[in-house]
Amino acid sequence: MKLDKRCPILVRAEDKPLYQNFTAKEAGWEYLNFLARIMNKGETWTENTGDCEYCIVLLGGNFSVTSDKGEWKTVNGRKNVFSGLPHALYLPAHTEFTLTADSEILDIACSWVKTDKQFEPIFVTPRISQDLGIELRGGDNASRQINRMLPPGSACHRLVCVEVYTPSGNWSSFPAHKHDERKVDADGKLKEACLEEIYFYKIDKPQGFAFQHVYTEDRQLDEIAEAHDGDAVLVPRGHHPVVAGPGYNVYYLNFLAGSDQSLAAADDPDHKWVYGTWKRMDDRLPLVTLEMNK
């Protein structure tokens, strides 16, 4: 785990095939483990999920998986995250699997969390991702695209997984929100979940960047991370807006886990008024579509 000395929530990509790799203990929290790796054609990754549920996301290339719970193979996998919609594979606890790289270069990300529940595997294709709902959220210079893979309500225990595209110069995760206290209303409806979150970044140009501010209202946590391609930002608590550098389209993959399989969040009251000001959606969106996978 290569933490940035200047910013303790920023995990820098390493110059090696397993370019992100950290456990929940190393991150200083309870749930989320994470890796991102490059594999060459024919290379295999064999693992047993043990007491954890896994979600593997295809960033670029193609893979096939054999396991004691089924077999799956990506078709028309995107060249990179800016070239189409995702494939993702959810594997439940106690699954023995082997993943094989079927393309010259395979780029994948994976998160896993402890669970005491058992579910069936889920294979998300680009078509299914579109059917789950491609959302264009926000407006004006806070417009962005969200693709769902394990949205709230999925047949899993804790993991939530979505990916977000922010056009150059735009803000996302804005107005700023948090999910660090579990709150229910008088009727018992969940208003806010208590969740850890990973932001894993890809930028469409090698020199590109994004800034992410992670802060609590009392500013006991108050960090600004400059994220580059392959970097990860840890959000243990607090609000966490993002802005894409002008000229650079920004992708981030979100994994969340905690008290509920939910995205229930609370807005920063200082910025909630912004919702009522948007006039239009950015016409650069959507940045990726199903047609790009063909």
Side-chain angles (χ1 to χ4, degrees), residues 53-68:
E53 57 182 0
Y54 276 51
C55 182
I56 302 167
V57 177
L58 176 64
L59 304 171
N62 277 297
F63 66 72
S64 54
V65 173
T66 59
S67 81
D68 55 4

Side-chain angles (χ1 to χ4, degrees), residues 40-51:
N40 296 318
K41 189 170 185 177
E43 187 178 349
T44 61
W45 171 35
T46 297
E47 194 75 63
N48 190 307
T49 61
D51 293 330

Side-chain angles (χ1 to χ4, degrees), residues 37-109:
R37 66 184 301 175
I38 299 291
M39 298 171 65
N40 296 318
K41 189 170 185 177
E43 187 178 349
T44 61
W45 171 35
T46 297
E47 194 75 63
N48 190 307
T49 61
D51 293 330
C52 295
E53 57 182 0
Y54 276 51
C55 182
I56 302 167
V57 177
L58 176 64
L59 304 171
N62 277 297
F63 66 72
S64 54
V65 173
T66 59
S67 81
D68 55 4
K69 298 200 173 54
E71 297 184 0
W72 305 272
K73 184 180 180 68
T74 66
V75 178
N76 295 326
R78 53 192 177 183
K79 181 180 179 181
N80 55 55
V81 297
F82 296 99
S83 301
L85 299 183
H87 288 82
L89 178 61
Y90 169 81
L91 293 173
H94 309 295
T95 301
E96 183 83 28
F97 74 90
T98 296
L99 181 149
T100 302
D102 294 335
S103 52
E104 292 302 320
I105 298 294
L106 173 66
D107 191 4
I108 57 171

Side-chain angles (χ1 to χ4, degrees), residues 118-187:
Q118 196 70 28
F119 295 87
E120 294 299 314
I122 302 170
F123 187 49
V124 179
T125 65
R127 170 63 69 182
I128 292 173
S129 178
Q130 177 173 268
D131 292 345
L132 286 171
I134 296 174
E135 181 183 358
L136 303 185
R137 188 179 295 177
D140 295 340
N141 67 333
S143 301
R144 62 272 197 190
Q145 174 182 351
I146 294 92
N147 301 332
R148 297 177 175 91
M149 287 164 281
L150 286 180
S154 297
C156 64
H157 185 192
R158 296 189 187 277
L159 277 170
V160 177
C161 180
V162 299
E163 58 183 16
V164 180
Y165 291 83
T166 309
S168 69
N170 279 14
W171 288 78
S172 60
S173 294
F174 194 85
H177 66 274
K178 72 179 185 73
H179 34 69
D180 55 16
E181 300 176 89
R182 193 177 193 276
K183 297 179 181 178
V184 297
D185 63 18
D187 298 322

Side-chain angles (χ1 to χ4, degrees), residues 177-180 190-193 195 240 262-267:
H177 66 274
K178 72 179 185 73
H179 34 69
D180 55 16
L190 185 67
K191 294 174 60 180
E192 181 182 350
L195 303 169
H240 40 278
S262 171
L263 288 173
D267 295 310

Side-chain angles (χ1 to χ4, degrees), residues 1 3 8-11 21-34 195-198 221 233-237 257:
M1 184 179 188
L3 279 171
I9 60 168
L10 178 61
V11 187
N21 187 27
F22 56 83
T23 64
K25 183 177 181 180
E26 288 171 319
W29 54 27
E30 184 175 356
Y31 296 106
L32 288 169
N33 307 275
F34 182 73
L195 303 169
E196 302 162 356
E197 184 169 17
I198 293 168
L221 174 62
V233 173
L234 309 178
V235 182
R237 63 189 186 280

Side-chain angles (χ1 to χ4, degrees), residues 272-279:
K272 196 172 181 178
W273 64 271
V274 174
Y275 284 118
T277 67
W278 294 321
K279 299 295 190 296

